[in-house]
Amino acid sequence: MTQQSLAQSMPETGDYGAVLFYSEFDDPKAWGDALKSNLPGLDFRVYPDVGNPDDIRHVLAWKAFPGFFEPFRNIAQVVNLGAGIDALVGRTDLPDVPISRLSDPGMIALMRSYVLFSVIRYARDIPAFEQAQRRHEWHYIHPRPLDTIKVGILGLGHLGSAVARGLADVGFDVSGWDVAPKSITDVRCFGLDQKQDFLGELEILVNMMPLTPATAGMINADLFNALPQGAKFVNASRGHVVDEPALIEALRSGQIGGATLDVFHVEPLPENHPFWSMENVLITPHLASITVPEAAARDVAESIRRVSAGGEPLHRVDPRRGY
């Protein structure tokens, strides 16, 4: 269907069916206001105030509980309120309809800024200065040129590619690995059978892999041991991609010199978790990137228009693959 024929077949405002919103973390009012500014008169409902379940045509959800989708027989699409779709993988209640993720410039910018901060903190020896300050010690370390610092991005999907480009623009020596062939300006890209070559010279490794059945626990002791001793690790993706006991052991032994961790197996991180007491670990509470409704709503509204006209949504994903 062409853009012109798609536009001609668009229903009039208000004919899209009801939109149901579910999230324990996002602001439904902000989302409702943002969507209605793009689709005036939209029937926007917030769970559990569903009304007639048969009215629901579009679902915007984040980490919906098991069985959530079962009452809704007329769903035309599901929009995942984030970039990672691991909460939609392997579900038995998910209808066979288009599923899309969010992709807005604000979310990308926030993720890029978090990884830039994390990498620059290690590249400029900030942890050493933080420790020196606690000792009341003037501790000079001569800065190194950024192009001598090798940074690797594990996972070159939508966000990973943006992160790799951002680091290269700053001047780091950047490489990336992904299961699918990728080409990114000023980034050396490694493929499926080149993981050892990718890991062997890195000073800082950043995990941007999505969580799927194939990636769960993939960052394990073997991977940490393939890095040069003392390499730093940043996880801004999903906690379960990492074998946490293996990371703890690598941090204690010095194989991994430091870690910046935004995601964990259990969140909030339990107060007795070993990470809390490790001086070489920086913990942030799963905030590397968030969705900005005012920006993301434009794409969601466009997907509602397209699906209502029989077309494809923006940013469609495949829950069988996990991305």
Side-chain angles (χ1 to χ4, degrees):
M1 183 178 290
T2 65
Q3 290 284 29
Q4 182 177 3
S5 63
L6 184 63
Q8 290 172 345
S9 64
M10 294 291 185
E12 295 298 322
T13 299
D15 293 340
Y16 302 109
V19 175
L20 179 63
F21 180 93
Y22 175 87
S23 174
E24 296 182 6
F25 304 93
D26 299 278
D27 181 356
K29 184 179 186 306
W31 269 102
D33 292 346
L35 277 175
K36 289 176 184 178
S37 71
N38 289 273
L39 298 171
L42 184 69
D43 185 354
F44 182 85
R45 305 180 187 182
V46 179
Y47 189 90
D49 297 325
V50 174
N52 184 349
D54 290 345
D55 296 341
I56 305 302
R57 294 285 291 159
H58 313 273
V59 174
L60 280 61
W62 179 246
K63 296 188 176 181
F65 56 83
F68 171 84
F69 294 99
E70 289 175 356
F72 311 114
R73 299 179 295 179
N74 295 321
I75 295 178
Q77 71 164 326
V78 173
V79 179
N80 186 61
L81 290 172
I85 66 163
D86 44 284
L88 298 178
V89 175
R91 297 184 67 120
T92 59
D93 62 331
L94 199 60
D96 185 17
V97 297
I99 297 172
S100 56
R101 57 168 171 76
L102 296 185
S103 175
D104 71 82
M107 180 171 62
I108 295 170
L110 283 170
M111 180 60 79
R112 187 189 294 118
S113 73
Y114 182 90
V115 175
L116 280 170
F117 153 76
S118 302
V119 170
I120 290 171
R121 179 170 173 267
Y122 290 127
R124 294 304 308 269
D125 299 303
I126 301 303
F129 301 138
E130 292 168 343
Q131 293 171 13
Q133 180 175 340
R134 290 192 287 270
R135 299 191 302 266
H136 297 199
E137 178 182 324
W138 185 271
H139 180 55
Y140 182 85
I141 301 175
H142 197 70
R144 293 180 294 153
L146 297 185
D147 61 5
T148 67
I149 299 173
K150 298 182 184 298
V151 183
I153 309 301
L154 192 67
L156 295 174
H158 185 66
L159 291 175
S161 294
V163 164
R165 285 193 297 269
L167 289 166
D169 288 344
V170 171
F172 288 101
D173 182 347
V174 182
S175 59
W177 180 91
D178 201 283
V179 295
K182 297 291 171 67
S183 177
I184 303 172
T185 302
D186 295 326
V187 177
R188 296 189 311 283
C189 296
F190 292 80
L192 185 60
D193 298 325
Q194 299 173 302
K195 192 184 293 184
Q196 295 301 314
D197 295 335
F198 163 68
L199 296 169
E201 296 183 350
L202 296 181
E203 186 168 335
I204 304 168
L205 174 66
V206 180
N207 174 41
M208 295 298 300
M209 291 295 292
L211 177 59
T212 71
T215 65
M218 72 172 291
I219 302 179
N220 55 20
D222 290 340
L223 188 145
F224 290 131
N225 289 332
L227 293 165
Q229 186 170 14
K232 309 303 191 299
F233 176 62
V234 177
N235 191 9
S237 174
R238 288 290 185 268
H240 283 283
V241 177
V242 178
D243 180 341
E244 278 190 0
L247 176 56
I248 291 168
E249 177 56 33
L251 287 162
R252 286 173 172 164
S253 71
Q255 177 60 29
I256 297 299
T260 299
L261 307 174
D262 187 56
V263 288
F264 308 89
H265 284 200
V266 177
E267 296 178 5
L269 189 65
E271 64 179 45
N272 62 346
H273 198 285
F275 285 147
W276 287 116
S277 59
M278 290 183 158
E279 288 194 3
N280 56 350
V281 173
L282 175 64
I283 293 169
T284 57
H286 201 151
L287 47 63
S289 182
I290 62 169
T291 300
V292 181
E294 292 77 12
R298 291 190 291 270
D299 279 1
V300 175
E302 179 62 16
S303 289
I304 290 172
R305 294 188 191 99
R306 292 185 179 204
V307 171
S308 298
E312 283 281 302
L314 299 174
H315 317 305
R316 186 168 182 174
V317 295
D318 183 352
R320 293 168 298 181
R321 295 184 303 173
Y323 55 90

